[in-house]
Amino acid sequence: MSAHNRGTELDLSWISKIQVNQPAVLRRAEQIQARRTVKKEWQAAWLLKAVTFIDLTTLSGDDTPSNIQRLCYKAKYPIREDLLKALNMHDKDITTAAVCVYPARVCDAVKALKAAGCSIPVASVATGFPAGQTHLKTRLEEIRLAVEDGATEIDVVINRSLVLTGQWEALYDEIRQFRKACGEAHLKTILATGELGSLTNVYKASMIAMMAGSDFIKTSTGKETVNATFPVAIVMLRAIRDFFWKTGNKVGFKPAGGIRSAKDSLAWLSLVKEELGDEWLKPELFRIGASTLLSDIERQVSNLYLWSKLTGVFEKGIEKPN
Amino acid sequence: GGGAGVWTPRSLSCSTSPGSTVVALVPPASPTPLLLAQLAGELGSFPGILNVISGPASLGPVLASQPAIQKVAFCGALEEGRVLRRSLAGKCVELGLALGMESLLLLTDTADVDSAVEGVVDAAWSDRGPGGLRLLIQESVWDEVMRRLQERMGRLRSGRGLDGAVDMGTRGAAACDLAQRFVHEAQSQGAQVFQAGDVPPERPFYPPTLVFNLPPASPCAQAEVPWPVVVASPFRTAKEALAVANGTPRGGSASVWSERLGQALELGYGLRMGTVWINAHGLRDPSVPTGGCKESGCSWHGGPDGLYEYLRPSGTPTQVSCLSKNMNYDTFGLTVPSTLPAGPEIGPSPAPPYGLFVGGRFQAPGARSSRPIQDSSGNLHGYVAEGGAKDIRGAVEAAHQAAPGWAGQSPGARAGLLWALAAALERRKSTLASRLERQGVELKAAEAEVELSARRLRAWGARAQAQGHTLQVSGLRGPVLRLREPLGVLAVVCPDEWPLLAFVSLLAPALACGNTVVMVPSAACPLLALEVCQDIATLFPAGLANVVTGDQDHLTRCLALHQDVQALWYFGSAQVLFVLFCHIQHLTLPTGSSFSGNSPALLEFLLLRGETP
């Protein structure tokens, strides 16, 4: 994980004059999807890279220790061993980036990963996930308990009502408190963009979250009606870039919800590469929150492997994705 | 139907659809039209609908002068357009010009800067934009925009056009050289140049280029910007932006970026451009007409306007070529032939000579002389002023002064004035009818002529009310506003026949659409027109309609050579028409012999010859 983002003092002038033109952003989103497609052997490499960005997630009411264990095992061995061997990638230590669970299941996750001999972090959602409509005191306590249980990454949810009523100072203070409660754990701030109303609000909320010290900003909980879409992502990535230009701190980006197919994941990788560059294409700065994505990637990689057997492309093996 | 010579692949589709056959001349570097023609040929039943010739630009005039061609549409550089226009003088060929490919982007401080930067990419550094871009940035956001632009340029990828993952390809070695020359010149005049992007180093590929800090007085600031160059300049206020934007002779397309609706619309209305986009650039739809203003040409593509370019009202008589080998256009109309003084006067002493009607009142002509007008029996009917070049200049100036006020009038106010003139004509019916009688018209016919004139005025008044901006919604994620703007000052040379009816029928449409006019009335009997002027003097604002009498050829030449007349309607001898085409230097002057459908301010075709009252 990269170094913490220490955040800055609140400076409302960074967001006061900002305007986002929605139709133009929509056009740009369509363009990126059409323009930067990846094919053939590069696609296999990109898919394996995408696997290393996944925060393998399970956030259901019926999570029990047994399915958590299965999840953790899957996190350690995301792609079939024989497939990796055939692609000559079996020794490259391909695992998902993290495992993401509810606070009550953090202990189980930590235990399962330890049993599997895996060092990937456990991320916990907190602060009244997904709606965030609980008292501040309990929200902070949730974070502290999750950290005590062994979670090294916390996904918090912001208070949408503060954004919709324009109370930026209050929002900043809240996130600052979340930051303090996290301690050494990394803070991912979920903006729930589907409920923020406009792209301008998304930009402003992103900026406030970064100023308050988030290490990652995340598009959505995955439980809203509209989750991670490209226009929203473009706005958030622009905010990350502006924050980097102003302060030199690199903040990570995580889209979550609605990313189900291998093709989608490649589009997301292209987007981050276009808007922020290759530096952000690392698990320290980019995550994808998904649960069923992994099986689709596995299926697609196996299709590519079969194709390669017919055409002989992979005989030399593929280079390690950097 | 009929043959047409077309010079660009883009307009091929809109010219074949109304039923014309097409011969296209395309530069050798673009193979797409050839492929299109091959596909068209495979349609089978109608070979020869679409024919494509690949050749240099010098073949253009050759193609255009072929006998069976009825319309030529040209898309390209200004100089070639001029040559083409000269070569088509006198032939009965309609010419549509779409010149220049530069566009403009106006970035205010209330814009979404990142999206505007994407707009710049769309306009200049992609395969979608036809030419270079002039970028006007409000000073307060200059640094922000520059930083974002330069970073965005670094992520552009250039390569072979068929590779789907590149942003821009190449337009050939000629375009590359043109860009290279422009950039060198700009640098030598003191500008800074920034180039970036992932571009192959071989010759036909030219990297995306940003030129800034170019001194505004340098020649490069006025020259057309080639692809893929962007020339950026700052501005302080909206007024300054409009002055800079409208300050070049080109008027193709532009975009305004501002999140404040009021400001965006104000800038959009103020720009003298054929197409203005707000918070977008380069959006096109086949049902939306695109064209240019000023030196960017006077033809329209797309939409109903584009369709009418290739159509003619049924029943229009075929035009006869007015090519004349005996006419010397250098000396045409240069001097006024002297007229002998009239013979001894018999009968009641005639009224004192009429002056010219300029600036709302009758004035003496500069030459201080007058010419006699005779009636049908050869007797002296009256004297009218002998107008000359100086008077034409004065009339045009008066018309220009009245033009902004008149264009700003509401359609209802314009209609009201035209109706008032119609009523005044009816009150004056007996005087006008008696004058017409003296010219040999039967009393009944004369009265009918006066009535018809009044009716025409009323009809055009009603049309002024019905005219307006139309809102059209197309699949472009936003509405499209089609504005019909007045041209400015129109010059009209009336025919000899129907001295009253022709005068009124030409005056009315021009005024109804918001233009001001300078008219040269019928040479045989200008007195009818001058009678109407007496009513105009009391009813209309000064300078709205100006009438200059004199030698028709000489006055026509003066009007044609005047640099500040926006359109010229000429009804007269066919040979003179040929001369006019040779003379007219500024290309956007739409001329019509009997009708002019190219200019956005005129709505109707008017055919006066053979029209029965």
Side-chain angles (χ1 to χ4, degrees):
Chain A
M1 254 300 204
S2 66
H4 283 291
N5 168 26
R6 293 287 153 214
T8 63
E9 292 290 317
L10 177 64
D11 187 349
L12 285 177
S13 71
W14 290 8
I15 61 170
S16 55
K17 285 199 291 182
I18 209 69
Q19 293 283 349
V20 178
N21 185 285
Q22 182 153 354
V25 174
L26 289 171
R27 279 198 296 274
R28 174 73 179 139
E30 278 169 15
Q31 222 182 55
I32 294 186
Q33 286 175 291
R35 282 283 172 95
R36 302 280 190 258
T37 49
V38 185
K39 302 282 182 202
K40 302 183 188 166
E41 61 264 38
W42 297 282
Q43 192 180 91
W46 277 50
L47 284 173
L48 291 179
K49 184 99 180 131
V51 167
T52 64
F53 292 141
I54 296 180
D55 273 3
L56 205 53
T57 310
T58 176
L59 295 168
S60 317
D62 54 0
D63 284 340
T64 58
S66 57
N67 84 320
I68 298 287
Q69 203 178 43
R70 263 201 304 277
L71 188 84
C72 293
Y73 184 81
K74 195 85 180 125
K76 173 115 166 90
Y77 302 108
I79 307 279
R80 286 190 346 243
E81 193 66 28
D82 57 335
L83 206 51
L84 283 180
K85 262 216 184 79
L87 293 171
N88 203 15
M89 297 295 292
H90 51 278
D91 51 353
K92 302 291 195 295
D93 203 16
I94 295 191
T95 65
T96 64
V99 166
C100 188
V101 293
Y102 269 120
R105 301 270 75 87
V106 170
C107 281
D108 301 324
V110 169
K111 222 163 55 190
L113 283 175
K114 207 150 141 202
C118 187
S119 60
I120 66 178
V122 173
S124 164
V125 298
T127 66
F129 186 95
Q133 299 271 13
T134 54
H135 292 281
L136 184 59
K137 201 159 129 200
T138 46
R139 284 188 268 154
L140 293 171
E141 190 60 23
E142 241 187 283
I143 301 180
R144 280 190 273 268
L145 290 172
V147 173
E148 262 177 41
D149 280 348
T152 48
E153 297 179 10
I154 307 287
D155 288 16
V156 303
V157 184
I158 63 166
N159 195 340
R160 273 77 97 190
S161 60
L162 293 178
V163 176
L164 292 170
T165 53
Q167 299 178 50
W168 304 112
E169 291 94 346
L171 182 65
Y172 176 86
D173 286 331
E174 253 193 33
I175 303 178
R176 258 249 177 275
Q177 291 188 39
F178 295 158
R179 161 92 266 163
K180 240 170 75 178
C182 281
E184 283 308 306
H186 280 260
L187 177 66
K188 291 207 200 84
T189 310
I190 304 180
L191 303 178
T193 54
E195 291 175 359
L196 290 184
S198 74
L199 290 178
T200 313
N201 274 351
V202 169
Y203 185 95
K204 291 184 183 177
S206 312
M207 263 310 196
I208 298 281
M210 290 189 283
M211 282 199 263
S214 317
D215 297 303
F216 261 74
I217 48 174
K218 184 169 159 184
T219 57
S220 44
T221 59
K223 311 280 186 205
E224 286 107 39
T225 42
V226 174
N227 289 303
T229 58
F230 270 49
V232 150
I234 289 176
V235 173
M236 287 174 71
L237 290 171
R238 284 177 182 169
I240 291 178
R241 177 205 60 198
D242 290 347
F243 186 77
F244 174 60
W245 280 353
K246 284 192 161 70
T247 64
N249 290 336
K250 290 188 186 165
V251 173
F253 174 66
K254 177 173 170 182
I259 306 177
R260 286 186 201 96
S261 71
K263 191 161 158 228
D264 284 343
S265 68
L266 291 178
W268 282 100
L269 259 70
S270 293
L271 176 63
V272 173
K273 188 182 164 83
E274 266 292 299
E275 288 289 317
L276 290 175
D278 287 342
E279 289 170 17
W280 258 263
L281 279 179
K282 301 197 291 256
E284 292 86 15
L285 288 173
F286 179 57
R287 297 286 179 82
I288 301 178
S291 39
T292 50
L293 177 62
L294 195 49
S295 46
D296 197 61
I297 290 187
E298 200 174 16
R299 184 192 60 82
Q300 182 66 355
V301 171
S302 119
N303 284 346
L304 283 170
Y305 172 63
L306 286 173
W307 167 84
S308 79
K309 291 242 323 203
L310 293 172
T311 58
V313 168
F314 285 154
E315 273 158 5
K316 292 184 298 196
I318 47 182
E319 294 169 13
K320 174 176 164 58
N322 53 352
Chain B
V6 172
W7 244 11
T8 173
R10 245 194 302 158
S11 47
L12 279 178
S13 52
C14 46
S15 54
T16 43
S17 32
S20 328
T21 49
V22 174
V23 177
L25 175 68
V26 298
S30 58
T32 331
L34 288 167
L35 180 60
L36 194 61
Q38 184 182 346
L39 292 172
E42 286 165 15
L43 288 175
S45 8
F46 300 101
I49 292 183
L50 176 61
N51 310 283
V52 175
I53 306 173
S54 222
S58 48
L59 282 184
V62 174
L63 174 64
S65 21
Q66 298 303 308
I69 300 264
Q70 283 153 316
K71 172 164 172 76
V72 176
F74 171 71
C75 189
L78 182 64
E79 275 314 312
E80 290 162 14
R82 277 216 167 100
V83 166
L84 192 61
R85 185 169 198 139
R86 260 199 171 240
S87 70
L88 286 180
K91 314 202 174 100
C92 48
V93 174
E94 287 197 31
L95 179 62
L97 298 166
L99 307 166
M101 292 172 293
E102 177 196 87
S103 49
L104 180 94
L105 198 147
L106 220 160
L107 227 175
T108 63
D109 61 357
T110 51
D112 174 5
V113 175
D114 283 303
S115 295
V117 166
E118 291 299 326
V120 174
V121 173
D122 278 341
W125 298 318
S126 69
D127 285 330
R128 291 182 291 283
L133 183 74
R134 284 171 69 219
L135 178 60
L136 299 181
I137 307 176
Q138 193 144 20
E139 219 170 351
S140 43
V141 288
W142 175 267
D143 292 325
E144 213 181 303
V145 173
M146 281 289 135
R147 183 176 193 180
R148 282 174 168 75
L149 260 181
Q150 291 174 353
E151 208 227 289
R152 182 71 179 92
M153 282 166 82
R155 293 205 300 265
L156 289 171
R157 298 169 74 199
S158 173
R160 304 184 64 81
L162 287 178
D163 180 354
V166 300
D167 294 309
M168 51 189 251
T170 175
R171 305 252 171 110
C176 181
D177 289 335
L178 190 60
Q180 186 93 285
R181 268 202 306 274
F182 183 87
V183 169
H184 281 324
E185 255 191 68
Q187 265 179 320
S188 67
Q189 287 163 18
Q192 281 173 277
V193 173
F194 178 82
Q195 292 181 327
D198 175 13
V199 182
E202 303 99 60
R203 194 163 152 259
F205 291 102
Y206 197 75
T209 310
L210 179 64
V211 173
F212 53 104
N213 289 343
L214 183 66
S218 61
C220 265
Q222 286 286 322
E224 188 176 16
V225 181
W227 184 89
V229 182
V230 171
V231 176
S233 7
F235 67 89
R236 290 166 302 172
T237 59
K239 204 162 147 199
E240 195 180 338
L242 284 178
V244 175
N246 291 334
T248 58
R250 293 171 293 280
S253 56
S255 63
V256 174
W257 292 79
S258 165
E259 290 296 310
R260 260 198 248 135
L261 183 64
Q263 184 187 46
L265 284 177
E266 185 197 326
L267 287 170
Y269 282 138
L271 282 172
R272 298 265 311 145
M273 300 277 173
T275 308
V276 176
W277 295 286
I278 296 187
N279 286 330
H281 198 106
L283 300 180
R284 288 184 207 280
D285 190 87
S287 63
V288 175
T290 52
C293 283
K294 302 192 284 187
E295 254 182 37
S296 292
C298 54
S299 73
W300 293 87
H301 291 285
D305 301 282
L307 203 60
Y308 285 136
E309 296 256 315
Y310 293 92
L311 296 174
R312 216 184 249 167
S314 51
T316 317
T318 47
Q319 280 176 284
V320 177
S321 168
C322 37
L323 198 54
S324 162
K325 298 201 175 31
N326 302 335
M327 178 82 64
N328 182 352
Y329 54 79
D330 281 328
T331 57
F332 164 76
L334 200 53
T335 51
V336 179
S338 45
T339 44
L340 293 172
E345 287 163 13
I346 312 163
S349 66
Y354 278 97
L356 309 166
F357 184 68
V358 171
R361 56 190 184 85
F362 285 95
Q363 316 179 345
R368 297 270 187 267
S369 64
S370 34
R371 54 168 49 208
I373 300 294
Q374 297 179 327
D375 65 14
S376 55
S377 36
N379 297 328
L380 185 62
H381 197 159
Y383 285 98
V384 295
E386 185 75 49
K390 184 158 170 253
D391 306 302
I392 290 285
R393 281 200 299 274
V396 173
E397 200 184 308
H400 267 294
Q401 283 195 333
W406 183 239
Q409 289 275 355
S410 67
R414 284 187 235 144
L417 278 179
L418 287 173
W419 289 336
L421 185 61
L425 270 189
E426 287 187 333
R427 281 196 297 270
R428 223 179 240 276
K429 191 156 143 182
S430 48
T431 335
L432 292 171
S434 69
R435 281 218 190 253
L436 277 171
E437 252 189 312
R438 274 191 76 171
Q439 291 298 119
V441 182
E442 293 262 320
L443 180 61
K444 267 208 157 18
E447 285 179 349
E449 189 172 333
V450 178
E451 270 167 27
L452 183 58
S453 306
R455 262 218 312 277
R456 286 254 167 90
L457 278 170
R458 288 211 178 84
W460 278 105
R463 274 227 181 79
Q465 284 237 302
Q467 194 193 2
H469 307 164
T470 50
L471 192 63
Q472 178 184 330
V473 181
S474 54
L476 290 177
R477 281 214 192 98
V480 173
L481 198 62
R482 281 170 62 202
L483 306 182
R484 291 191 163 264
E485 294 177 331
L487 283 176
V489 173
L490 259 66
V492 183
V493 179
C494 299
D496 281 344
E497 305 87 4
W498 304 103
L500 175 64
L501 184 59
F503 178 77
V504 168
S505 305
L506 293 173
L507 178 72
L511 289 184
C513 297
N515 304 291
T516 50
V517 287
V518 172
M519 306 197 61
V520 176
S522 148
C525 181
L527 297 169
L528 274 302
L530 291 167
E531 285 277 343
V532 177
C533 287
Q534 294 184 4
D535 288 313
I536 292 179
T538 47
L539 291 171
F540 284 10
L544 204 56
N546 305 283
V547 175
V548 179
T549 49
D551 178 57
Q552 199 171 59
D553 286 346
H554 178 58
L555 292 177
T556 307
R557 183 198 175 94
C558 295
L559 284 170
L561 289 179
H562 199 293
Q563 295 289 325
D564 219 359
V565 169
Q566 272 74 52
L568 173 62
W569 282 351
Y570 177 80
F571 292 79
S573 84
Q575 296 168 320
V576 178
L577 201 56
F578 163 67
V579 172
L580 281 181
F581 274 103
C582 291
H583 266 309
I584 289 161
Q585 300 298 317
H586 32 135
L587 287 169
T588 59
L589 196 59
T591 59
S593 58
S594 306
F595 46 86
S596 170
N598 296 347
S599 41
L602 307 173
L603 306 175
E604 273 284 297
F605 298 132
L606 276 183
L607 264 180
L608 288 185
R609 290 178 198 279
E611 188 167 324
T612 50

